[in-house]
Amino acid sequence: GDSVTQTEGLVTLTKGLPVMLNCTYQTTYSPFLFWYVQHLNEAPKLLLKSSTDNKRTEHQGFYATLHKSSSSFHLQKSSVQLSDSALYFCALSAAYQGGRALIFGTGTTVSVSP
Amino acid sequence: GGIITQTPKFLIGQEGQKLTLKCQQNFNHDTMYWYRQDSGKGLRLIYYSITENDLQKGDLSEGYDASREKKSSFSLTVTSAQKNEMAVFLCASSTGAGQLYFGEGSKLTVL
């Protein structure tokens, strides 16, 4: 069945450094991938989405490229800020009986220190 | 814009108790979802509904019931709360095209 894998549970880094969060997926359908961010005690919010192969998508300084050849949709940022400390989820749009829903990875916590 | 409101924000129950969570959305979205969030396990789909009075089981539906009596509301019932259970339940809505809009969550603690 469809699945999403995030390999890092926790990433700790210093303000100003670059970050990359890994996301790989498995699906037999045309992939539609998402990154959601959840700050402490807040609702998850959409950060990025893409269904176009090899096209970079960007938002709020974060960027990701869907690579169908490697089934990946890694999230990157060139220079992290303290406010980027949050939980990041990669998600895949999947077919369920009667409709579609998102399958989420286990999430990566990013902790940025001064 | 719209908003998703979940009630209650915090729910404390006893083992074996039936507990109900409620969700309201004013996006006028057709599809609504309930996910369970556990630390280290991501978000797992419990139930979803593509229209009023429709119910579809997700991967984690055992032990739960759901109800969609109106387009704007979607409730979730824990049929028998398990001792020491602790989780956050997230409600979401969508046009069906992919992007989900989430509420802030309801935190369940079972004593």
Side-chain angles (χ1 to χ4, degrees):
Chain A
D2 294 353
S3 66
V4 175
T5 301
Q6 293 181 249
T7 53
E8 306 98 358
L10 173 65
V11 172
T12 58
L13 63 167
T14 305
K15 172 185 170 183
L17 292 179
V19 66
M20 185 172 86
L21 308 184
N22 290 310
C23 174
T24 56
Y25 64 89
Q26 284 189 318
T27 182
T28 54
Y29 300 95
S30 186
F32 191 3
L33 274 294
F34 302 77
W35 276 101
Y36 278 81
V37 58
Q38 184 180 29
H39 288 93
L40 193 61
N41 297 323
E42 294 185 9
K45 294 176 184 171
L46 179 68
L47 186 57
L48 294 171
K49 62 181 178 182
S50 180
S51 59
T52 305
D53 198 13
N54 296 319
K55 181 180 179 181
R56 176 164 151 160
T57 182
E58 300 186 37
H59 184 62
Q60 295 181 338
F62 287 91
Y63 59 95
T65 303
L66 177 61
H67 291 297
K68 293 183 180 180
S69 60
S70 58
S71 299
S72 67
F73 190 56
H74 305 321
L75 181 68
Q76 299 183 71
K77 190 174 186 183
S78 303
S79 175
V80 294
Q81 304 302 309
L82 295 176
S83 58
D84 294 327
S85 293
L87 181 55
Y88 293 81
F89 290 104
C90 184
L92 167 71
S93 179
Y96 280 79
Q97 183 178 352
R100 301 192 70 83
L102 294 187
I103 292 176
F104 287 83
T106 51
T108 299
T109 298
V110 173
S111 178
V112 181
S113 58
Chain B
I3 190 170
I4 293 185
T5 303
Q6 292 187 232
T7 55
K9 286 192 185 304
F10 299 94
L11 184 58
I12 299 175
Q14 300 292 327
E15 183 181 18
Q17 192 175 0
K18 181 184 288 188
L19 303 166
T20 298
L21 306 172
K22 295 186 184 295
C23 177
Q24 296 271 345
Q25 56 103 355
N26 64 0
F27 287 99
N28 200 33
H29 286 162
D30 289 319
T31 308
M32 296 186 73
Y33 308 81
W34 277 106
Y35 283 87
R36 175 177 166 136
Q37 182 175 16
D38 295 276
S39 179
K41 294 185 179 177
L43 278 63
R44 293 178 289 174
L45 182 66
I46 306 173
Y47 266 96
Y48 72 101
S49 166
I50 61 175
T51 188
E52 184 177 325
N53 293 319
D54 173 75
L55 291 175
Q56 305 288 341
K57 292 183 178 181
D59 301 315
L60 206 65
S61 62
E62 188 170 335
Y64 302 94
D65 286 328
S67 174
R68 182 97 182 269
E69 294 179 356
K70 294 190 302 183
K71 184 176 182 178
S72 62
S73 66
F74 193 29
S75 63
L76 180 73
T77 297
V78 181
T79 57
S80 179
Q82 300 300 303
K83 189 173 177 62
N84 297 322
E85 182 175 6
M86 186 180 296
V88 175
F89 293 86
L90 290 166
C91 177
S93 71
S94 169
T95 59
Q99 181 177 346
L100 268 58
Y101 297 82
F102 285 90
E104 293 189 349
S106 295
K107 186 171 183 178
L108 171 67
T109 302
V110 182
L111 302 176

